Amino acid sequence: MLDIPSSVRVDVEALLAAQNHMGVCDAIEQYAPVGKPDTMTTPHFPKVAGIDSTVPPPAQTVAPTSPAPAPPSSPGAPPAPAAPGAPGALIQDRLAGWVSDLTTLHELTERLARTAVMDDALHEVLRAGAALVGARRGLVVLEPADGLGPDTTVGLGLARADLGHIETVPRGATSYGRILDRTDGTGEPEVHADLLSEDGLDPRHREVAARLGYAASFALPLATEAAGRLGAAVWLYDEPAEPVERQRHLVGLYTRYATEHLARLLELERARAKSRTIAEELLPPRLPRVAGVQLAARHRTGPRGGGDWYDALPLPEGALGLTVGSVTGSGASAVAAMGRLRASLRAYAVMEGEDPVAVLSDLELLLRLTEPARSATALFAYCEPALRKIVLAGAGHSPPLVIGERRTEFVETSLSAPLGMLACWEAPSVEFSPEPGETVLLYTDGLLHRTGDPMDRAFARLHAAAAGVPRTIRNDPGAIADHVLHTVLPDGLDAADSDEDVVLLAARFE
């Protein structure tokens, strides 16, 4: 809430006359007399967007003068408006300034609250701060004090090369460097109203400032009591200047809220990174080399971490086992379940890989016993590269896609339920033989779901993408997988945050 200076002595009659023209007073409490009748208490604004602060009074724009005598009026006529120099006009001017400040802070904090990604939030902090302090350019250096990262630098009105020039300045000679090197990362802002005329300015700093065309800077720490130091924000002026007291107060209120928002996004970013790391570690670090076949895989993990997997396992007598699958759910529990199922499937493949139906039957039994509340889709293929022969079985999974010079078609597989859905799973296997130079593409349903289209249209889009693979890259399974991924998921959807994981496993037979 606003702390308006204590009681104000005014002329009651002039104030009452002025109130008829003070629209901003409609939303606040009426003045109540305290002590003497001509002593008025100040109003209090309701909280706006969680802002509870003390805003210093605006600069007085009109010198206080004694109210001019009101002209005589006829009985029943409305009271005459207060003179420009009346105390009521001064109060109205101040209240209007406070309402304007609160409205501005409310709009800026709402815009920041709508950001859900750290990079977007940092850019919004820079734009809002520049508007509040009257600067045109700036940068934010994110460097959490706990050393766990992520560390990054984001600029406003500064290209990557400009940020590189600023980073060549010795850390201790920069505003953000001095803030970040403090023990707790807090304290007073760093103000340099005229950099180029400062005594003792680092020569490299002077050179960079002249080259980039900024002459003053204003820096604030980004820190909270709970999270500690997160980083520092610096705004740059083209001419010697510095924010006035009112601007400093407003940007201080804004950065206080912004730092809390950044701290929440930081925790979310770290949780997502941990989930992605765990999921990646549970997948094969590299694909095996098997004579007669080239392998490539692409994996995109959703922000909460999903249960999609892929694997390629060398088997006795030069055979190769290929598998893709997906566990229902997301988050740490789904990732852990995926790791257990993938490890178990590897063991079953070694024991009885020649019979894909037996492999998936054993996996289904394990799932029912250990994960009774969870289901999964899976596909396992037993490959003999020397004979170009593949025997596969699927449990509720999408069929593989064969990509070649003369054909692009889905493999006809038997319709079956996912693992864990029936009391006893079993479905017949299918056998097919890819031609020399053809690529068999295995994928998870996340590739289709991320399109946002109905499944029939998603399958059609996948088929069209595979049919459109350029001839120049048909001998590279990695390039084929990239082409399909970027074609099926245009506009960056292949890398965007999504609840669906995406897995592609491509095997090209020679």
Side-chain angles (χ1 to χ4, degrees), residues 396-491:
H397 206 82
S398 300
L401 185 61
V402 179
I403 305 172
E405 293 287 345
R406 291 178 293 181
R407 63 171 176 169
T408 300
E409 60 186 23
F410 291 101
V411 178
E412 293 186 5
T413 58
S414 57
L415 183 64
S416 62
L419 302 177
M421 297 292 290
L422 301 178
C424 182
W425 176 91
E426 185 169 341
S429 60
V430 297
E431 180 180 325
F432 69 99
S433 298
E435 298 294 332
E438 290 187 333
T439 298
V440 178
L441 184 67
L442 283 64
Y443 53 93
T444 57
D445 292 342
L447 177 66
L448 306 174
H449 292 159
R450 278 204 187 194
T451 64
D453 293 336
M455 292 302 289
D456 56 342
R457 294 183 60 186
F459 274 113
R461 177 182 291 189
L462 174 60
H463 185 275
V469 173
R471 293 179 178 272
T472 55
I473 65 172
R474 286 184 180 269
N475 60 348
D476 184 354
I480 293 175
D482 288 333
H483 173 84
V484 170
L485 185 63
H486 299 325
T487 305
V488 175
L489 301 176
D491 303 326

Side-chain angles (χ1 to χ4, degrees), residues 191-217:
V191 184
H192 299 276
D194 192 350
L195 272 172
L196 300 181
S197 65
E198 281 187 9
D199 295 332
L201 183 66
D202 185 270
R204 179 57 183 169
H205 196 178
R206 188 185 305 275
E207 178 184 348
V208 170
R211 181 170 186 170
L212 299 184
Y214 65 87
S217 66

Side-chain angles (χ1 to χ4, degrees), residues 346-365:
R346 290 174 68 92
Y348 299 146
V350 171
M351 293 186 295
E352 46 193 353
E354 303 88 352
D355 186 358
V357 173
V359 172
L360 294 187
S361 296
D362 292 343
L363 191 65
E364 195 272 340
L365 178 60

Side-chain angles (χ1 to χ4, degrees), residues 61-434:
T61 56
V62 182
T65 58
S66 57
S73 59
S74 58
L90 297 179
I91 294 176
Q92 181 178 4
D93 183 54
R94 290 190 177 186
L95 292 178
W98 286 321
V99 169
S100 176
D101 291 341
L102 286 175
T103 302
T104 299
L105 287 176
H106 174 70
E107 293 175 352
L108 294 178
T109 52
E110 275 203 336
R111 286 171 54 182
L112 179 63
R114 288 194 291 268
T115 59
V117 181
M118 178 63 74
D119 191 64
D120 294 342
L122 293 176
H123 281 94
E124 182 58 37
V125 168
L126 279 176
R127 286 191 292 266
L132 290 174
V133 301
R136 189 173 62 89
R137 294 179 291 175
L139 67 150
V140 168
V141 180
L142 189 67
E143 189 178 300
D146 56 15
L148 300 179
D151 297 347
T152 185
T153 301
V154 174
L156 173 68
L158 297 171
R160 176 54 58 183
D162 299 334
L163 294 176
H165 286 306
I166 294 176
E167 290 174 354
T168 62
V169 179
R171 182 185 177 96
T174 61
S175 299
Y176 67 85
R178 286 189 286 270
I179 289 176
L180 297 176
D181 289 340
R182 294 171 186 169
T183 304
D184 55 358
T186 61
E188 296 298 321
E190 289 277 341
V191 184
H192 299 276
D194 192 350
L195 272 172
L196 300 181
S197 65
E198 281 187 9
D199 295 332
L201 183 66
D202 185 270
R204 179 57 183 169
H205 196 178
R206 188 185 305 275
E207 178 184 348
V208 170
R211 181 170 186 170
L212 299 184
Y214 65 87
S217 66
F218 177 74
L220 282 175
L222 301 176
T224 66
E225 294 183 3
R229 185 204 73 204
L230 299 183
V234 186
W235 290 277
L236 306 175
Y237 295 88
D238 296 341
E239 301 293 339
E242 63 178 303
V244 298
E245 179 184 357
R246 189 175 192 80
Q247 291 174 318
R248 293 190 191 188
H249 189 80
L250 291 175
V251 75
L253 295 176
Y254 177 79
T255 54
R256 189 183 311 165
Y257 171 84
T259 306
E260 296 289 346
H261 183 68
L262 293 177
R264 292 189 291 270
L265 291 181
L266 180 63
E267 291 300 319
L268 182 60
E269 189 84 8
R270 288 176 174 177
R272 290 175 175 176
K274 290 178 181 178
S275 180
R276 286 193 298 267
T277 301
I278 294 174
E280 294 294 339
E281 290 296 325
L282 290 175
L283 295 174
R286 63 182 63 86
L287 296 173
R289 294 184 178 181
V290 179
V293 65
Q294 294 176 281
L295 300 174
R298 298 295 182 265
H299 183 216
R300 299 291 186 271
T301 304
R304 293 183 295 175
D308 287 16
W309 81 80
Y310 68 92
D311 204 352
L313 179 65
L315 297 175
E317 301 179 359
L320 176 68
L322 299 177
T323 177
V324 293
S326 177
V327 176
T328 56
S330 61
S333 63
V335 173
M338 176 269 288
R340 291 191 292 267
L341 285 182
R342 173 179 168 267
S344 300
L345 192 148
R346 290 174 68 92
Y348 299 146
V350 171
M351 293 186 295
E352 46 193 353
E354 303 88 352
D355 186 358
V357 173
V359 172
L360 294 187
S361 296
D362 292 343
L363 191 65
E364 195 272 340
L365 178 60
L366 176 72
L367 185 65
R368 283 196 294 113
L369 294 177
T370 61
E371 306 276 349
R374 197 182 296 277
S375 63
T377 65
L379 187 148
F380 179 75
Y382 179 79
C383 307
E384 297 180 81
L387 303 176
R388 291 194 304 277
K389 175 184 174 182
I390 298 178
V391 181
L392 65 88
H397 206 82
S398 300
L401 185 61
V402 179
I403 305 172
E405 293 287 345
R406 291 178 293 181
R407 63 171 176 169
T408 300
E409 60 186 23
F410 291 101
V411 178
E412 293 186 5
T413 58
S414 57
L415 183 64
S416 62
L419 302 177
M421 297 292 290
L422 301 178
C424 182
W425 176 91
E426 185 169 341
S429 60
V430 297
E431 180 180 325
F432 69 99
S433 298

Side-chain angles (χ1 to χ4, degrees), residues 21-32:
H21 305 278
M22 294 171 62
V24 294
C25 293
D26 295 340
I28 61 175
E29 299 177 0
Q30 294 293 326
Y31 290 97

